[in-house]
Amino acid sequence: MGLEILGQVAAFGGQQGVYQHSSSSTGTEMTFSVYVPPHENGSKLPVIWYLSGLTCTHANVTEKGEFRRTCSELGLIFIAPDTSPRGNGVPDDDAYDFGQGAGFYVDATEGPWSEHFQMRTYIEDELPGLIADNFPADMSRQGITGHSMGGHGALTIALHNPERFKSVSAFAPIASPLNCPWGHKALSGYLGPDRQKWRAYDACALIEDGQRVPNILVDQGMADGFLAEQLKPELLEETCKAAAQPLTLRRQHGYDHSYYFISTFMDDHLRWHAERLGR
Amino acid sequence: MGLEILGQVAAFGGQQGVYQHSSSSTGTEMTFSVYVPPHENGSKLPVIWYLSGLTCTHANVTEKGEFRRTCSELGLIFIAPDTSPRGNGVPDDDAYDFGQGAGFYVDATEGPWSEHFQMRTYIEDELPGLIADNFPADMSRQGITGHSMGGHGALTIALHNPERFKSVSAFAPIASPLNCPWGHKALSGYLGPDRQKWRAYDACALIEDGQRVPNILVDQGMADGFLAEQLKPELLEETCKAAAQPLTLRRQHGYDHSYYFISTFMDDHLRWHAERLGR
């Protein structure tokens, strides 16, 4: 699998890179960023996956996430994929919350989306192989996190793959796409009207259906404009409590949905993951 | 003097704000950002001024500078002004290195620039009054830094005002506008052909002419594409040595001119300033 280097720059003693490759999952060129901290030649480092939110590319967290200092301190590789396939020939929607930039980390089954919108397979199967082949990554030590739509992605992908991810966290995740307008629109569009099929892409439903991870850390800003209608952390809290799924939900007063919120708590999340990944 | 709040968000326990006001210096609306860290009611905090480089607004460092964590730890207010007047009725140039976004922190004397391009007066006289009136700032404890064109601005404004600034540093500054293409273009355009007038806006010339500050910290990336033709830190090094002006010039191997470089060394600069501002 070939990897094109779009950019590599020095930062915090390591290297921030942006890469592109031809994806067999999406049938498009896909872009992602990887930060590799300073490390001894030949050593392999644990990996943190960061899944971004609606409208984002790899660039938002790469520029504004403030993760590099602590990744260098703790020796963590940080990977930021794109949020959907893009480009000519890829279907799109005028809305910000559907189509390009809004893949929701699902494998679409409905036309015209199913041809390219295979983001679950891309994140679960294809990109890990590319990372293992091209970076000094210890694939036996992976953690996953994400923001908003990407928080939903991190939770659902971790719940599907508890053997792969030793740690999972989220920033202001969509707690239950089955129970919010963003989720209804995306899952009906990508998967069709059968709500039973949506349950594979709903963290609360997955936990209800028996999936488990060792622990979950969630930070949620209480001044987040999407809190009441879209994010609903109380649904995750109730579901985890009923299922005895360990959850640390921190309600952060005064914080909104932006990268000012994410960057503030990024350090806590990286340390949470590092503890569980044996750093 | 009225101050319009364009945005205020929680970050790192403090508040990141963006503000606009009608400037008497430039005759335009001017935008700037201020980070106020958590502090006790009624206390006053030292101030760090950050002057940005060509093409930037307040937003670049505000989003990518990674200064808030350490400003919260050390109790520093961080101010990021714009790099020029902007808007309809303000003259501009198609080039990225002259006109709007490229004020060079000078008071222009040549038409059509002199009406609005009064950035030295804006930074030296007008904005400090606004800060003192509207924020919990201890104006007896100010430090100044900047990047590239803004590093030139920080050095020259500090050398003109050694009683005001207790500390001065720069990231990849234009060391001597008298001796590089960016400087020739800007200073001839804003000040006319008499090079004697340019000396007030050249850090090396100011030091040669007797101006002094207690110490200067400069970081310069050695993979910076502008190093040899535009930045020329060796000129500052030679001038400081000849004049016995204390300078700590650090050549950082592998680093470029971007915010990946700036954010890497921002923490060192903030600690340098804080030591000299009595934090």
Side-chain angles (χ1 to χ4, degrees), chain A residues 132-211:
Chain A
D133 287 349
N134 290 280
F135 298 91
D138 178 355
M139 303 304 276
S140 73
R141 293 189 290 170
Q142 298 183 58
I144 190 165
T145 186
H147 173 232
S148 196
M149 175 184 77
H152 142 76
L155 293 173
T156 55
I157 287 176
L159 285 160
H160 279 295
N161 300 276
E163 73 298 336
R164 175 174 158 203
F165 296 105
K166 292 197 160 50
S167 57
V168 54
S169 76
F171 301 87
I174 303 172
S176 179
L178 276 161
N179 292 291
C180 71
W182 279 342
H184 291 179
K185 181 174 181 180
L187 297 186
S188 63
Y190 295 133
L191 303 176
D194 178 3
R195 286 182 170 232
Q196 203 56 36
K197 290 170 60 184
W198 301 8
R199 294 181 70 81
Y201 297 106
D202 183 295
C204 292
L206 285 168
I207 293 168
E208 285 168 10
D209 292 348
Q211 294 298 113

Side-chain angles (χ1 to χ4, degrees), chain A residues 112-125:
Chain A
W113 311 103
S114 55
E115 183 183 355
H116 297 293
F117 283 70
Q118 300 293 321
M119 287 300 291
R120 178 178 167 188
T121 294
Y122 176 68
I123 300 291
E124 284 192 345
D125 298 336

Side-chain angles (χ1 to χ4, degrees), chain A residues 10 12-13 69 254-255 263-264 267, chain B residues 9-10 12-13 69 254-255 263-264 267:
Chain A
F12 291 96
R69 175 179 301 283
Y255 285 87
S263 61
T264 297
D267 192 70
Chain B
V9 296
F12 291 96
R69 175 178 300 281
Y255 285 88
S263 61
T264 297
D267 192 71

Side-chain angles (χ1 to χ4, degrees), chain B residues 17-28:
Chain B
V18 180
Y19 305 93
Q20 191 174 69
H21 69 116
S22 292
S23 165
S24 57
S25 314
T26 67
T28 64

Side-chain angles (χ1 to χ4, degrees), chain B residues 23 28 34-35 37 61 63 77 82 94 98 137 146-147 158 166 192 218 228-229 269:
Chain B
S23 165
T28 64
V34 178
Y35 179 67
V61 73
E63 296 176 353
I77 291 176
D82 203 348
D94 286 341
F98 192 64
H147 172 231
K166 292 196 161 52
V218 170
E229 189 183 2
H269 283 243

Side-chain angles (χ1 to χ4, degrees), chain A residues 85-101:
Chain A
R86 299 175 189 274
N88 291 335
V90 177
D92 198 9
D93 188 284
D94 287 343
Y96 76 97
D97 56 359
F98 193 64
Q100 294 187 33

Side-chain angles (χ1 to χ4, degrees), chain A residues 8-14 16 18 59 62-70 253-256 258 260-261 263-268, chain B residues 8-14 16 18 59 62-70 253-256 258 260-261 263-268:
Chain A
Q8 284 181 328
V9 296
F12 291 96
Q16 180 65 60
V18 180
T62 305
E63 295 176 354
K64 302 179 186 177
E66 305 198 18
F67 56 84
R68 280 172 288 268
R69 175 179 301 283
T70 304
H253 290 278
Y255 285 87
D256 70 2
S258 73
Y260 295 105
F261 157 68
S263 61
T264 297
F265 299 105
M266 178 62 79
D267 192 70
D268 287 355
Chain B
Q8 284 180 327
V9 296
F12 291 96
Q16 179 65 60
V18 180
T62 305
E63 296 176 353
K64 303 179 187 177
E66 303 197 19
F67 55 85
R68 280 173 288 268
R69 175 178 300 281
T70 304
H253 291 277
Y255 285 88
D256 70 2
S258 74
Y260 295 104
F261 158 69
S263 61
T264 297
F265 299 104
M266 177 63 80
D267 192 71
D268 287 354

Side-chain angles (χ1 to χ4, degrees), chain B residues 176-203:
Chain B
S176 178
L178 277 161
N179 292 292
C180 71
W182 279 343
H184 291 178
K185 181 175 181 178
L187 298 185
S188 62
Y190 295 134
L191 304 175
D194 178 3
R195 286 182 170 232
Q196 201 57 36
K197 290 170 60 185
W198 299 9
R199 295 182 68 82
Y201 297 107
D202 183 293

